[in-house]
């Protein structure tokens, strides 16, 4: 019997994967073909979705992007045996787009049934956890330190150091909190992993719990991700049934329980202390640090807060050894980076590579240039607080230090491409408006400064006393950078400054009417 | 969870009370309770605030403060269907603002508003995690990618017309 794989990842569903699955099953029934349909996550090649794969002698052959109307012609072409068809892609993993990647965290995503624990184990799952169960906590922490793993949520803080702090903190109760708020525009890796390989996050949470001495974990998932929430809920229930979660993890006698919580549409709740406030049932207002959450976090207890991808990398590191992980990447950015190619790009999706590939290589080789076919003008890296880079900076390698040196930040790895119709004054205004909209309100430079920022940019664009207003804007940017409590107010100047520096002409055009209309 | 009001029930204090009680065992139960109330009734009615406050030993002001802090929570019923349209950077790069303008011009509804017949609420959202298939939107919890004008018209018309 032939096995057909069709994703049920939200991105694939958003372009019709469910209708395609139904059409293929209906056509199979009409033709009396028996096929087994396996629903997977996505491999991340969003541009090929809905991507239909057939297992032929252990090799996965792809067809895509498929529409429901293609079903009859696919059967006519004998696609179940890999027959020729205009949508035929051949062996999927041999496609340049995949062959050029190095999948570590996303090795299983899009390949297996995300809710099959057996498939998870058959593809290397649980090896890291078994290792962790066999060694003392301090050794787990040492392995994470030696791997060079840095937090993937944006700040790039060494995970091992955070874990060591929490391990050293004396307390009966400690927590592992997974930050699955993924608020940065242009990013979707956390979502894809939770939908496509949820057990890897569960395994990572348990490993983190063993490492720091915590027996309870929370995952804070943004409410914009209902599919991911459901996938995680199903996976947690299966893990409980299988004895992976509960009073005795894999029969070890050591307990670990997990609870999922839904965010409520506040970008600031991705900031770790705001997230903890939110989990405790309060307004998501940022806490002053110290105390560090690793010492005094959730409900006052030592807590490690880590991004989805940070936690999911831990089992691999234990299973393969820290050196294998540290052998990937460059400088102080070790391991793999999951780039999310988005915006105006022809072949958008998730690309996992060792740190250090250039933006140009990603956008041209993987992305295939702009979707509109127009000239690329700007690339925003690192979400709404990331810089807008011009073509001349595209040879910057993607690692934490190189991006910082170029006046930007890597953040969670989002790369948003804009063609030459973009207006950077409008984008700068949006950065300020977004900050005003999402500010937690705790400090004035952010809460009021961002509103002033919108007004001043409006005046500059409208041609009112440009030089004077530009000076006001510069002062404001400095104040926000220096005097904000957290990176929302502190980094909003980054997109604004980069727009001013690299695209000054957009702020100097003849006045265009009273105000700009932009998203607010 | 983020569904529209298609299945929303009329507010009922007893039922609200049962929802609150069902969540009291949770640590930090306030957000889960507010989500559950909105899931059931389509919004969080003002009448539910004292109930929640009493159950959690909080002041009404505290509950109100939380309710108003988070963009998700509605304090008034929404239209029968809810369309969330992404207006963050990746979708901007693919023309989401022209879709917003089209909604206003063709269907007379702007983000934050509801169509004249009360059937479709339109809300702004900043990123749906579908940025490789921008512009993105979400209708009653279902994600939509590569949204174009025609597709948008079809969605709006279906939401306002034949569908329950
Ligand atoms: C405004 C703001 C938003 C943030 N949003 C997220 C987010 O959505 N996801 C995330 O993992 N980290 C986010 N962070 C970073 C967290 O504060 C924190 O550094 C991270 O969760 C730590 O985990 P990591 O070390 O594994 O990256 C945000 C920070 C700020 C200032
Ligand atoms: S910078 Fe903004 S978001 Fe951060 S603490 Fe201050 S007001 Fe809150
Ligand atoms: S920016 Fe619109 S879906 Fe991410």
């Amino acid at each position: 019997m032939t096995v057909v794989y069709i994703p049920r990842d939200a991105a694939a569903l958003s372009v019709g994967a469910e209708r395609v699955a139904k059409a293929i099953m209906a056509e199979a029934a009409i033709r009396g073909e028996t096929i087994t349909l396996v629903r997977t996550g996505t491999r991340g090649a969003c541009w090929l979705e809905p991507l239909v794969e057939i297992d032929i002698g252990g090799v996965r052959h792809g067809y895509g992007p498929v529409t429901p109307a293609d079903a009859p012609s696919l059967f006519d072409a004998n696609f179940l045996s890999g027959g020729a068809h205009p949508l035929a892609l051949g062996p999927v993993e041999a496609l340049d787009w995949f062959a050029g990647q190095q999948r570590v965290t996303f090795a299983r995503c899009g390949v297996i049934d995300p809710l099959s624990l057996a498939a998870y184990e058959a593809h290397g799952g649980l090896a890291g956890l078994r290792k962790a169960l066999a060694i003392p906590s301090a050794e787990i922490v040492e392995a994470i330190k030696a791997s060079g793993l840095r937090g993937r949520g944006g700040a790039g803080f060494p995970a091992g150091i955070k874990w060591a702090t929490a391990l050293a903190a004396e307390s009966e109760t400690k927590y592992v909190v997974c930050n699955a708020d993924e608020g940065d525009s242009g990013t979707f890796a956390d979502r894809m992993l939770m939908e496509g390989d949820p057990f890897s996050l569960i395994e990572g949470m348990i490993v983190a719990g063993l490492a720091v001495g915590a027996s309870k974990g929370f995952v804070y998932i943004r409410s914009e991700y209902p599919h991911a929430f459901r996938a995680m809920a199903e996976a947690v229930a299966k893990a409980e049934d299988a004895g992976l979660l509960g009073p005795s993890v894999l029969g070890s006698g050591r307990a670990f329980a997990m609870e999922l919580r839904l965010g409520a549409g506040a970008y600031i709740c991705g900031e770790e202390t705001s997230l903890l406030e939110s989990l405790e049932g309060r307004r998501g207002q940022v806490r002053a640090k110290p105390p560090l959450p690793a010492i005094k976090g959730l409900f006052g207890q030592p807590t490690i807060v880590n991004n989805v991808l940070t936690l999911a990398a831990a089992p691999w590191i234990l299973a393969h050894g820290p050196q294998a992980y540290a052998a990937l990447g460059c400088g102080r950015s070790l391991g793999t980076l999951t780039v999310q190619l988005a915006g105006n790009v022809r072949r958008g999706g998730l690309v996992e590579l060792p740190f250090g590939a250039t933006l140009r290589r990603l956008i041209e080789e993987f992305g295939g240039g702009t979707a509109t076919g127009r000239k690329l003008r700007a690339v925003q890296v690192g979400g709404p607080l990331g810089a807008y880079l011009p073509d001349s900076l595209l040879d910057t390698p993607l690692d934490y230090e190189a991006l910082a040196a170029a006046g930007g930040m890597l953040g969670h790895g989002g790369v948003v491409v804009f063609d030459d119709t973009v207006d950077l004054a409008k984008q700068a205004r949006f950065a300020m408006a977004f900050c005003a909209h999402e500010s937690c309100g705790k400090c004035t430079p952010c809460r009021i400064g961002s509103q002033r920022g919108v007004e001043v940019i409006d005046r500059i664009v409208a041609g009112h006393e440009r030089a004077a207003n530009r000076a006001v804007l510069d002062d404001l940017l400095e104040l926000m950078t220096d005097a904000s409590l957290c990176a929302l107010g502190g980094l909003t100047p980054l997109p604004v400054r980069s727009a001013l520096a690299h695209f000054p002409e957009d702020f100097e055009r003849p006045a265009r009417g009273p105000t700009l209309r932009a998203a607010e | 969870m983020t569904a529209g009001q298609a299945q929303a029930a009329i507010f009922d204090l007893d039922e609200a009370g049962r929802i609150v009680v069902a969540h009291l065992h949770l640590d930090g139960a306030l957000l889960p309770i507010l989500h559950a109330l909105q899931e059931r009734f389509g919004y969080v009615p003002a009448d539910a605030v004292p109930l929640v406050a009493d159950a959690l030993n909080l002041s009404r002001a505290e509950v109100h403060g939380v309710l108003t802090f988070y963009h998700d929570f509605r304090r008034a019923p929404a239209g029968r269907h809810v369309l969330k349209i992404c207006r963050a950077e990746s979708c901007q790069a693919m023309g989401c603002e022209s879709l917003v303008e089209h909604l206003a011009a063709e269907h007379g509804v702007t983000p934050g508003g509801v169509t004249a017949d009360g059937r479709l609420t339109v809300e702004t959202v900043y990123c749906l995690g579908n940025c490789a298939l921008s512009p993105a939107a979400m209708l009653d919890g279902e994600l939509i990618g590569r949204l174009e004008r025609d597709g948008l018209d079809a969605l709006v018309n279906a939401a306002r017309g034949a569908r329950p």
Side-chain angles (χ1 to χ4, degrees):
Chain A
M1 194 183 337
T2 320
V3 185
V4 176
Y5 298 86
I6 302 180
R8 62 163 208 180
D9 171 271
L13 296 177
S14 84
V15 287
E18 193 61 40
R19 294 190 296 278
V20 167
K22 289 211 174 91
I24 285 180
M25 293 315 279
E27 193 66 27
I30 291 169
R31 297 179 187 232
E33 298 263 14
T34 34
I35 58 181
T36 302
L37 177 63
V38 175
R39 301 305 293 269
T40 61
T42 177
R43 288 186 191 257
C46 296
W47 57 288
L48 287 175
E49 296 292 359
L51 171 62
V52 174
E53 295 179 36
I54 326 294
D55 185 321
I56 300 169
V59 176
R60 300 263 284 258
H61 289 245
Y63 293 81
V66 177
T67 66
D70 295 320
S73 71
L74 283 170
F75 280 90
D76 289 344
N78 202 11
F79 82 122
L80 294 177
S81 311
H85 186 279
L87 298 178
L89 302 163
V92 173
E93 284 164 22
L95 289 171
D96 288 346
W97 210 82
F98 290 109
Q101 300 192 37
Q102 193 161 351
R103 292 279 171 115
V104 172
T105 302
F106 284 84
R108 283 176 293 259
C109 195
V111 177
I112 62 167
D113 171 356
L115 294 172
S116 162
L117 202 46
Y120 180 69
E121 257 196 284
H123 284 78
L126 301 187
L129 175 59
R130 293 211 163 87
K131 182 78 199 282
L133 282 167
I135 57 177
S137 294
E139 257 180 63
I140 306 177
V141 173
E142 276 317 307
I144 298 300
K145 268 191 191 164
S147 74
L149 177 66
R150 292 171 70 175
R152 296 294 193 264
F157 188 80
I161 294 180
K162 189 182 284 186
W163 291 20
T165 308
L167 173 61
E170 302 262 353
S171 178
E172 281 289 299
T173 310
K174 298 181 188 178
Y175 294 106
V176 175
V177 170
C178 172
N179 188 340
D181 200 49
E182 197 163 61
D184 287 358
S185 52
T187 71
F188 41 82
D190 297 348
R191 182 185 65 67
M192 284 185 175
L193 196 78
M194 287 189 285
E195 291 185 35
D197 197 17
F199 291 123
S200 69
L201 175 56
I202 294 173
E203 187 182 356
M205 300 262 307
I206 305 171
V207 167
L210 293 170
V212 305
S215 55
K216 176 88 190 249
F218 286 91
V219 188
Y220 187 91
I221 304 177
R222 68 199 298 253
S223 61
E224 292 83 352
Y225 286 0
H227 301 77
F229 190 90
R230 283 195 294 269
M232 283 302 301
E234 286 177 52
V236 166
K238 293 214 161 161
E240 286 168 351
D241 288 347
L244 179 58
L245 288 172
S248 177
V249 170
L250 294 178
S252 64
R254 304 175 65 182
F256 196 79
M258 266 175 76
E259 208 174 305
L260 309 180
R261 288 292 171 88
L262 207 53
Y267 177 72
I268 194 58
C269 287
E271 194 283 334
E272 59 185 3
T273 62
S274 162
L275 186 155
L276 295 176
E277 286 290 306
S278 185
L279 271 178
E280 292 182 13
R282 284 193 287 274
R283 299 158 65 90
Q285 276 199 321
V286 173
R287 296 179 186 168
K289 283 188 268 192
L292 291 173
I295 292 167
K296 195 166 181 289
L298 188 63
F299 302 113
Q301 303 300 329
T303 303
I304 51 167
V305 182
N306 277 122
N307 176 253
V308 174
L309 303 185
T310 315
L311 290 164
W316 194 96
I317 291 166
L318 284 162
H320 296 83
Q323 285 74 28
Y325 196 77
L328 304 168
C330 61
R332 293 202 295 121
S333 302
L334 301 180
T336 55
L337 168 70
T338 35
V339 178
Q340 296 125 87
L341 275 177
N344 197 329
V345 64
R346 208 149 67 84
R347 297 192 294 256
L350 181 144
V351 177
E352 183 175 1
L353 280 172
F355 281 96
T358 65
L359 269 170
R360 193 180 304 284
R361 178 171 168 226
L362 275 151
I363 293 167
E364 290 175 2
E365 228 171 88
F366 289 93
T370 62
T372 46
R374 299 181 65 99
K375 198 169 151 33
L376 176 151
R377 181 144 183 264
V379 180
Q380 188 181 29
V381 182
L385 309 177
Y388 286 97
L389 304 175
D391 185 85
S392 61
L393 284 175
L394 293 192
D395 295 310
T396 308
L398 285 170
D399 72 54
Y400 293 104
E401 280 70 36
L403 253 133
M409 67 147 185
L410 184 50
H412 187 47
V415 171
V416 176
V417 178
F418 292 80
D419 72 12
D420 60 359
T421 59
V422 68
D423 175 349
L424 271 299
K426 216 169 176 173
Q427 298 309 121
R429 182 192 196 275
F430 175 77
M432 285 290 192
F434 182 75
C435 180
H437 188 254
E438 300 296 337
S439 170
C440 85
K442 188 144 179 168
C443 48
T444 325
C446 167
R447 188 183 70 238
I448 307 292
S450 52
Q451 253 145 27
R452 291 283 163 277
V454 171
E455 294 159 13
V456 176
I457 294 173
D458 277 347
R459 274 187 234 121
I460 293 172
V461 169
H464 294 315
E465 299 178 54
R466 278 190 164 146
N469 276 308
R470 177 58 203 270
V472 172
L473 182 58
D474 286 342
D475 284 350
L476 192 60
L477 293 173
E478 204 176 306
L479 179 73
M480 287 176 75
T481 307
D482 296 343
S484 296
L485 182 58
C486 86
L488 179 55
L491 291 182
T492 291
L494 220 60
V496 180
R497 271 207 191 96
S498 58
L500 286 162
H502 304 304
F503 307 92
E505 61 277 20
D506 287 13
F507 297 83
E508 289 160 5
R509 294 199 193 130
R512 281 165 290 169
T515 47
L516 278 174
R517 296 227 312 116
E520 268 178 279
Chain B
M1 146 187 341
T2 42
Q5 238 208 311
Q7 312 85 12
I10 304 293
F11 182 66
D12 165 347
L13 214 51
D14 287 341
E15 194 177 353
R18 283 193 295 275
I19 290 173
V20 172
V21 169
H23 290 85
L24 284 181
H25 66 286
L26 295 175
D27 291 324
L30 184 49
L31 259 73
I33 288 175
L34 296 178
H35 270 303
L37 290 170
Q38 176 150 314
E39 166 87 356
R40 186 71 187 121
F41 304 115
Y43 70 115
V44 183
D47 289 348
V49 170
L51 195 75
V52 176
D54 286 350
L56 294 179
N57 241 331
L58 298 169
S59 71
R60 290 175 193 197
E62 281 171 299
V63 175
H64 182 79
V66 170
L67 191 57
T68 50
F69 181 86
Y70 295 96
H71 303 305
D72 271 5
F73 299 126
R74 284 185 211 108
R75 283 175 293 149
R80 185 177 289 263
H81 299 283
V82 177
L83 178 69
K84 298 188 181 202
I85 184 152
C86 176
R87 299 173 77 191
E89 286 89 340
S90 173
C91 291
Q92 291 168 13
M94 291 303 282
C96 66
E97 287 310 303
S98 75
L99 293 177
V100 171
E101 280 162 23
H102 180 72
L103 272 175
E106 278 302 305
H107 304 281
V109 57
T110 51
V114 60
T115 50
D117 56 10
R119 294 183 72 90
L120 182 71
T121 288
V122 175
E123 294 175 346
T124 292
V125 64
Y126 294 110
C127 197
L128 290 163
N130 201 23
C131 330
L133 296 169
S134 292
M138 190 175 263
L139 180 67
D140 298 336
E142 288 307 315
L143 190 60
I144 302 152
R146 287 202 180 118
L147 188 59
E148 288 175 357
R149 262 177 207 210
D150 292 351
L152 182 61
D153 287 338
L155 275 174
V156 174
N157 292 334
R160 299 182 68 180
R163 290 208 304 188

